[in-house]
């Protein structure tokens, strides 16, 4: 253990090690290629042989993240919170043990801490100590570049752009599930099938409890089309006992069918996604949908390598309050966070227009600016939070425009292990907010975040 923590100090101070690429899901990293190389001290932590034949080996890694957050009128004055500033900390340590070519055990401990918030902590702010990942992988089939693997246990999951299933990297405490996943990988086709239970998140130490019921199930496939783009196809199912919408609170069993067609990289870039939802809400039926287009161009050879994008989302809301049927779209487990691109308005009953641009001011310094125009899709449905939870009723107001968010952020890679990010958001309230909240106030958000990974 002492060796692992010493490496954190060395890696922070040294920028002369080999190129390092950390993944959003740390279990996707593989350091088996270090088996036959001459290793530095750092490489000795990333590859730890456990047998003379090197068939058994382990790897260790971790993260420390520190963040200062300041809000003014996060609730637009609805609860008179006013100014609220606080500090967040996140730490994790993981071990990846490979027991030959077909068996693997991955475990990750994570601590998320909050200090100073006048409104207290939410489950995405604080979870003192938690076993974030603990799963076993068994390779059922492997031939050349194709494999079929079964994963059982507690695990983080993340799919596509995070529109519906996200690990939630922005918030202090990331999301996880307990269950099983079967996944197939080949160079041009990948497919997962999974059945999961969510946990009830408590702020203490090892006190999170599984729901003991199936909350999430589905499948997600990606087809890689050379020189054209990538196609995602998915089915997702959820079961919630007390789902709350403006229509009411009831048991929700919802099915989602969707696709995503996307391309990143130089030149023309795009992300097109659409999904339809059906199922039951109490004694009524569900019929909801969403469609999103994010198109842009990356000028990789121009000075400062600018990119420009325009995103437009349509997300359905309930048509008739009180008729038991529900047309409100549910974003399931969407990408969230305190800063910016998860704004105060959630991805439910929404039309938004979102132009944004990036500039590489230095090789390690990127600037991004955004403007987001937010409108209600249905005048008979209300406003929802970034998590998808119900916030403000709207059926009594005939105003459509929610407000405009103005955002700016800077991301700086200090070295291969350390990053510094900061951003500011100003939310100008629109006619709907001013109508439903007496003496509504514009919102301001600021954060600065220092992160270290090894």
């Amino acid at each position: 253990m002492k060796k692992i923590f010493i490496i954190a100090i060395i890696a922070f101070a040294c920028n002369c090690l080999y190129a390092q690429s950390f993944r959003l899901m740390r279990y996707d990293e593989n350091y088996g290629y270090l088996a036959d190389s001459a290793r530095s001290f750092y490489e000795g932590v990333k590859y730890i042989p456990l047998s003379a034949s090197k068939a058994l080996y382990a790897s260790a890694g971790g993260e420390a993240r520190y963040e200062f957050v300041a809000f003014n009128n996060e609730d637009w004055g609805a609860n008179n919170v006013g100014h609220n500033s606080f500090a967040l900390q996140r730490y994790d340590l993981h071990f990846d043990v490979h027991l030959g070519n077909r068996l693997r055990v991955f475990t990750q401990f994570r601590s998320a801490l909050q200090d100073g918030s006048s409104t207290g902590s939410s489950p995405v702010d604080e979870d003192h100590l938690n076993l974030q990942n603990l799963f076993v992988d068994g390779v059922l089939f492997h031939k050349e570049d194709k494999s079929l693997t079964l994963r059982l246990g507690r695990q983080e999951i993340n799919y596509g752009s995070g529109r519906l299933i996200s690990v939630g990297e922005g918030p202090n405490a990331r999301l996880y599930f307990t269950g099983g996943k079967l996944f197939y990988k080949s160079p041009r086709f990948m497919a997962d099938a999974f059945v999961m239970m969510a946990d009830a998140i408590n702020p203490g130490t090892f006190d999170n409890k599984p729901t003991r019921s199936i909350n999430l199930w589905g499948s997600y496939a990606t087809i890689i089309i050379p020189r054209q783009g990538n196609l995602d196809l998915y089915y997702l199912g959820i079961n919630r006992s007390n789902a709350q919408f403006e229509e009411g609170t009831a048991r929700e069993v919802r099915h989602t069918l969707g696709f995503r067609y996307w391309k990143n990289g130089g030149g023309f870039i795009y992300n097109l996604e659409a999904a339809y939802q059906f199922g039951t809400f109490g004694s009524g039926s569900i019929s909801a949908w969403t469609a999103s287009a994010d198109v842009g161009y990356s000028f990789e050879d121009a000075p400062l390598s600018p990119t420009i994008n325009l995103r437009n989302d349509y997300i359905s809301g309930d048509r008739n309050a009180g008729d038991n049927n529900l047309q409100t779209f549910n974003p399931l487990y969407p990408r969230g966070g305190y800063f910016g691109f998860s704004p105060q308005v959630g991805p439910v009953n929404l039309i938004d227009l979102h132009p944004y641009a990036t500039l590489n001011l230095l090789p390690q310094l990127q600037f991004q600016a955004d403007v987001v125009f937010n409108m209600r899709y249905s005048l008979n449905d209300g406003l929802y939070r970034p998590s998808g939870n119900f916030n403000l009723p709207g059926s009594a107001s005939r105003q459509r425009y929610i407000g405009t968010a103005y955002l700016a952020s800077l991301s700086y890679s200090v070295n291969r292990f350390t990053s510094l990010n900061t951003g500011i958001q100003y939310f100008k309230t629109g006619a709907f907010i001013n109508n439903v909240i007496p003496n509504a106030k514009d919102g301001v958000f600021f954060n600065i975040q220092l992160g270290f990974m090894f």
Side-chain angles (χ1 to χ4, degrees):
M1 291 294 292
K2 182 178 179 181
K3 181 179 181 182
I4 294 171
F5 288 104
I6 290 174
I7 193 59
I9 300 172
I10 294 175
F12 183 87
C14 180
N15 195 30
C16 58
L17 300 176
Y18 65 91
Q20 180 68 63
S21 177
F22 299 113
R23 307 291 294 273
L24 173 66
M25 315 299 278
R26 299 301 301 270
Y27 57 68
D28 284 337
E29 299 170 17
N30 189 332
Y31 296 92
Y33 66 91
L34 293 172
D36 299 317
S37 65
R39 298 197 305 278
S40 66
F41 180 79
Y42 174 77
E43 291 171 333
V45 171
K46 303 310 290 183
Y47 181 86
I48 306 168
L50 301 177
S51 67
S53 66
K54 299 182 181 180
L56 310 181
Y57 70 92
S59 179
E63 174 193 20
R65 194 175 86 172
Y66 307 93
E67 183 174 10
F68 173 76
V69 176
F71 280 109
N72 273 318
N73 305 315
E74 180 187 9
D75 60 351
W76 302 301
N79 300 306
N80 297 313
V81 174
H83 180 77
N84 185 23
S85 60
F86 51 94
L88 298 170
Q89 302 174 57
R90 185 169 85 188
Y91 306 94
D92 81 53
L93 183 64
H94 68 259
F95 299 93
D96 189 5
V97 181
H98 292 254
L99 305 171
N101 295 324
R102 292 186 176 269
L103 192 63
R104 171 198 186 196
V105 180
F106 184 90
T107 184
Q108 183 180 41
F109 297 90
R110 175 165 286 127
S111 176
L113 306 173
Q114 181 276 136
D115 181 57
S117 175
S118 61
T119 59
S121 291
S122 73
V124 300
D125 287 333
E126 192 162 27
D127 188 2
H128 290 176
L129 187 59
N130 171 45
L131 194 58
Q132 188 77 10
N133 284 281
L134 177 58
F135 61 77
V136 176
D137 277 357
V139 178
L140 307 179
F141 166 82
H142 186 272
K143 183 177 181 182
E144 297 177 350
D145 53 5
K146 302 177 179 65
S147 65
L148 179 66
T149 304
L150 176 64
R151 176 171 295 166
L152 297 174
R154 181 173 291 187
Q155 55 196 278
E156 297 176 326
I157 57 175
N158 193 86
Y159 288 109
S161 59
R163 186 179 181 87
L164 295 173
I165 303 292
S166 172
V167 70
E169 171 62 10
N172 204 34
R174 291 181 20 157
L175 185 66
Y176 69 88
F177 295 87
T178 301
K181 180 170 72 172
L182 186 69
F183 55 98
Y184 173 82
K185 289 184 178 181
S186 70
R188 294 186 182 179
F189 178 72
M190 292 159 283
D192 292 5
F194 53 87
V195 178
M196 299 288 176
M197 297 183 295
D199 273 19
I201 306 300
N202 298 301
T205 299
F206 299 122
D207 58 352
N208 297 343
K209 304 296 182 183
T211 56
R212 299 183 183 274
S213 64
I214 301 302
N215 305 105
L216 174 68
W217 62 92
S219 60
Y220 199 102
T222 298
I223 303 168
I224 298 173
I225 307 171
R227 297 181 298 278
Q228 298 296 320
N230 308 278
L231 176 64
D232 294 355
L233 300 170
Y234 55 85
Y235 159 74
L236 304 169
I238 63 166
N239 175 21
R240 294 179 176 175
S241 58
N242 291 292
Q244 183 181 15
F245 301 89
E246 180 152 0
E247 178 66 30
T249 301
R251 174 172 291 278
E252 173 190 24
V253 179
R254 186 181 296 244
H255 310 275
T256 302
L257 293 172
F259 78 91
R260 173 179 175 241
Y261 186 57
W262 54 282
K263 174 182 175 293
N264 296 323
F268 186 55
I269 52 180
Y270 50 84
N271 183 15
L272 311 175
E273 188 164 2
Y276 175 71
Q277 296 182 331
F278 59 96
T280 59
F281 179 70
S283 60
S285 63
I286 294 171
S287 178
W289 62 277
T290 184
S292 174
D294 187 347
V295 296
Y297 197 87
S298 176
F299 301 88
E300 290 188 336
D301 297 326
L304 305 182
S305 302
T307 65
I308 54 172
N309 282 70
L310 179 63
R311 175 175 171 175
N312 188 202
D313 296 282
Y314 285 80
I315 308 170
S316 68
D318 197 36
R319 287 197 297 263
N320 299 298
D323 67 353
N324 293 327
N325 294 321
L326 186 65
Q327 292 82 41
T328 307
F329 186 81
N330 187 334
L332 308 186
Y333 298 95
R335 182 174 61 190
Y338 288 110
F339 176 61
F341 313 137
S342 174
Q344 290 168 276
V345 180
V348 184
N349 188 36
L350 183 69
I351 301 172
D352 72 58
L353 189 65
H354 180 178
Y356 61 99
T358 65
L359 294 172
N360 291 323
L361 303 179
L362 295 170
Q364 297 85 21
L365 179 64
Q366 185 181 78
F367 170 76
Q368 180 163 327
D370 304 60
V371 181
V372 188
F373 305 95
N374 300 282
M375 295 156 277
R376 286 194 296 159
Y377 177 84
S378 170
L379 298 183
N380 293 314
D381 203 349
L383 196 63
Y384 294 76
R385 301 183 189 279
S387 63
N389 294 331
F390 182 58
N391 186 4
L392 295 172
S395 57
S397 174
R398 306 313 295 169
Q399 299 295 330
R400 187 177 299 276
Y401 198 72
I402 300 167
T404 307
Y406 303 91
L407 307 104
S409 64
L410 286 168
S411 300
Y412 180 57
S413 298
V414 179
N415 57 38
R416 295 182 178 99
F417 305 91
T418 311
S419 62
L420 181 65
N421 303 289
T422 186
I424 189 167
Q425 173 176 302
Y426 173 72
F427 192 98
K428 177 65 177 176
T429 60
F432 172 71
I433 296 294
N434 295 330
N435 189 207
V436 299
I437 300 177
N439 302 313
K441 300 176 177 65
D442 297 342
V444 179
F445 168 81
F446 169 79
N447 87 327
I448 185 167
Q449 183 185 99
L450 175 66
F452 167 74
M453 302 178 77
F454 74 94

